[in-house]
Amino acid sequence: MSVEVKDISPVVISRLPRYYRYLGSLKDADVERISSKDLSDLMKVTASQIRQDFNLFGGFGQQGYGYNVSKLYEEIGKILGIDKIHDVIIIGAGHIGQALANYSNFENRGFKIVGIFDNDPNLIGTTIRDCKVLDASTVPDFLKDNNIDIAIITVPKNQAVAVADMLVHNNIKAIMNFAHVDLLVPDEVIVENVHLSDTLLKLSYRLRESIENV
Amino acid sequence: MSVEVKDISPVVISRLPRYYRYLGSLKDADVERISSKDLSDLMKVTASQIRQDFNLFGGFGQQGYGYNVSKLYEEIGKILGIDKIHDVIIIGAGHIGQALANYSNFENRGFKIVGIFDNDPNLIGTTIRDCKVLDASTVPDFLKDNNIDIAIITVPKNQAVAVADMLVHNNIKAIMNFAHVDLLVPDEVIVENVHLSDTLLKLSYRLRESIENV
């Protein structure tokens, strides 16, 4: 059975990583099947939402049996494009870049950090986890020699736009951007921004609102 | 003029941090006023959306003059609850915790890291930026002695739920959670999750989709 990904709405897609995480934990705990009701209790979403979401890509559920955890996990992995390993590079070996290079969850999810780059002579040549920090000027050559779709940008704000330009010119297709600035890239390049202070702002907004409503 | 925050929809609220960022940059560049048209070009959103959003909290725009950058920046800051400094603690002094403690953007936005805690004897006593890493068992006392609303959790997944419990018991009101697990906290406690590998999953989904559509 092949899944028609295009028919799945962005809202459902945004829920897939969380389903994938819960199913992965169940799989790790050797749970073979689970009912929408039990999954609902676990994830604190309604059983009807779970049934609706899973029906969209073929279901894998059976009345009185529940969902086959492994199959569902595998199928959602395919939809998410992680049925294969993605090689990833990090541009910026500062604190955030180092933290990400050390973040084992990325590799567990099929994202392998194969290169870390910086323009700081003090960082070039040092080793983070298994990766040597390379000179940022060698990124274009590295991209020519390796099959890499995804780059993570963790350089300071004032360098990020130029770095993104360079990556796009060297055929990077997707960017995870931690610099606190909006990148200017062609429409076909995929960008996900992680603006950490924006998240704190949302938190402080909700905090202010909750205090005023007391 | 006082802003009725409750009347602002969550969608508009989610756009405020980005407005705040752009207005901050304009302010830093000594721009005194800007038209919705110019702001629209800069931010790549429609001028009518900008006008609609800003009208919701009093506007500060004037026909033929544009928006007063400083006033608008200040007012959005108030709505976001950052017209005062928030003291913040970090639980977990590993790579991500260290990166966040070194992240100057937090302080620039009014979030001051006043304590970092860990249970690893190798980390306790070390200094990150200006903060000494303290024993995690002293968090309850620290919270009694200091006025702290916000905690950042950067401990491993298997410790995060217990850490959140402990924080809630000691009256933390808001949590920014980096552990790759959903926290179980009472409804009145505010949680923003930053699940970094979920962001990479979204990226790889969009990448897969774009390659299939070529």
Side-chain angles (χ1 to χ4, degrees):
Chain A
M1 195 215 63
S2 102
V3 177
E4 294 297 327
V5 174
K6 275 171 257 178
D7 296 341
I8 303 179
S9 81
V11 181
V12 178
I13 292 302
S14 72
R15 289 199 282 261
L16 291 184
R18 191 159 175 265
Y19 286 130
Y20 191 72
R21 177 152 48 89
Y22 274 87
L23 290 166
S25 300
L26 290 167
K27 196 167 159 275
D28 289 346
D30 292 324
V31 176
E32 277 175 34
R33 54 187 183 160
I34 188 162
S35 67
S36 53
K37 167 79 176 59
D38 289 348
L39 195 56
S40 154
D41 290 345
L42 198 64
M43 296 185 63
K44 319 275 177 216
V45 295
T46 65
S48 91
Q49 187 189 83
I50 289 174
R51 284 192 296 267
Q52 267 178 30
D53 286 353
F54 290 178
N55 275 340
L56 280 175
F57 43 92
F60 307 99
Q62 217 177 300
Q63 196 77 37
Y65 173 89
Y67 293 100
N68 180 318
V69 170
S70 297
K71 265 196 188 162
L72 199 50
Y73 178 79
E74 193 186 316
E75 199 59 37
I76 293 179
K78 268 189 214 164
I79 296 173
L80 289 172
I82 47 175
D83 45 339
K84 55 165 195 169
I85 301 286
H86 289 281
D87 287 346
V88 177
I89 58 170
I90 296 176
I91 319 289
H95 295 289
I96 297 270
Q98 289 183 32
L100 296 179
N102 279 297
Y103 195 54
S104 57
N105 262 343
F106 283 175
E107 203 152 320
N108 296 343
R109 289 281 180 269
F111 301 95
K112 194 173 173 219
I113 309 296
V114 295
I116 309 174
F117 299 85
D118 207 289
N119 57 12
D120 179 348
N122 293 319
L123 290 171
I124 295 167
T126 60
T127 300
I128 304 171
R129 227 175 163 198
D130 305 324
C131 260
K132 196 163 262 193
V133 178
L134 303 171
D135 191 320
S137 67
T138 66
V139 172
D141 286 337
F142 192 89
L143 291 177
K144 252 171 235 136
D145 296 340
N146 295 278
N147 183 20
I148 293 163
D149 293 331
I150 302 177
I152 302 178
I153 296 183
T154 51
V155 299
K157 187 176 165 170
N158 60 357
Q159 297 171 28
V161 173
V163 165
D165 265 0
M166 178 272 289
L167 291 169
V168 169
H169 274 101
N170 290 281
N171 299 316
I172 275 289
K173 294 192 181 68
I175 296 172
M176 184 175 184
N177 173 40
F178 283 80
H180 205 219
V181 62
D182 294 324
L183 305 179
L184 305 165
V185 299
D187 285 346
E188 65 271 20
V189 177
I190 297 156
V191 176
E192 289 281 345
N193 292 303
V194 184
H195 292 333
L196 296 173
S197 36
D198 285 10
T199 308
L200 267 186
L201 291 182
K202 261 190 266 172
L203 205 66
S204 90
Y205 164 75
R206 292 176 58 196
L207 189 61
R208 185 203 145 186
E209 197 187 37
S210 77
I211 290 168
E212 285 181 1
N213 287 346
V214 165
Chain B
M1 196 215 63
S2 103
V3 177
E4 295 297 326
V5 174
K6 276 172 257 178
D7 296 341
I8 303 181
S9 82
V11 181
V12 178
I13 292 302
S14 72
R15 289 199 282 262
L16 291 184
R18 190 159 176 265
Y19 285 130
Y20 191 72
R21 178 153 47 91
Y22 274 87
L23 290 167
S25 300
L26 290 167
K27 196 168 159 274
D28 289 346
D30 292 322
V31 176
E32 278 175 32
R33 53 186 183 161
I34 188 163
S35 68
S36 52
K37 168 80 176 58
D38 289 348
L39 195 55
S40 154
D41 290 344
L42 197 64
M43 294 186 62
K44 319 277 178 219
V45 293
T46 65
S48 91
Q49 187 189 82
I50 290 174
R51 284 191 297 266
Q52 268 179 28
D53 286 352
F54 290 178
N55 275 340
L56 280 175
F57 43 91
F60 306 100
Q62 218 176 300
Q63 196 76 38
Y65 172 89
Y67 293 100
N68 180 318
V69 169
S70 296
K71 266 196 186 160
L72 198 51
Y73 178 79
E74 194 185 317
E75 198 59 37
I76 293 179
K78 268 190 215 165
I79 295 173
L80 289 172
I82 47 174
D83 45 339
K84 55 165 194 169
I85 301 286
H86 289 280
D87 287 347
V88 177
I89 59 169
I90 297 177
I91 319 289
H95 294 289
I96 297 270
Q98 288 182 34
L100 296 178
N102 278 296
Y103 195 54
S104 57
N105 263 342
F106 283 175
E107 202 152 321
N108 296 341
R109 290 281 179 269
F111 301 96
K112 196 176 171 214
I113 310 297
V114 296
I116 308 175
F117 299 85
D118 207 290
N119 57 11
D120 180 346
N122 294 318
L123 290 171
I124 296 167
T126 61
T127 300
I128 304 171
R129 226 174 164 202
D130 305 323
C131 260
K132 195 164 264 193
V133 177
L134 303 171
D135 190 321
S137 67
T138 65
V139 171
D141 286 337
F142 193 90
L143 290 177
K144 252 172 235 136
D145 296 339
N146 295 277
N147 183 21
I148 292 163
D149 293 331
I150 301 177
I152 302 178
I153 295 183
T154 53
V155 299
K157 186 176 164 170
N158 59 357
Q159 298 171 27
V161 172
V163 165
D165 265 1
M166 177 273 289
L167 290 169
V168 169
H169 274 100
N170 289 280
N171 300 315
I172 275 289
K173 295 192 181 67
I175 296 173
M176 184 175 184
N177 173 40
F178 283 80
H180 205 220
V181 62
D182 293 324
L183 305 179
L184 305 165
V185 298
D187 285 347
E188 65 271 21
V189 176
I190 296 157
V191 175
E192 289 282 344
N193 292 304
V194 184
H195 292 333
L196 296 172
S197 36
D198 285 9
T199 308
L200 266 187
L201 291 182
K202 262 190 266 174
L203 205 65
S204 91
Y205 164 75
R206 292 175 60 194
L207 189 61
R208 185 202 146 184
E209 197 187 36
S210 76
I211 289 168
E212 284 182 0
N213 287 347
V214 166

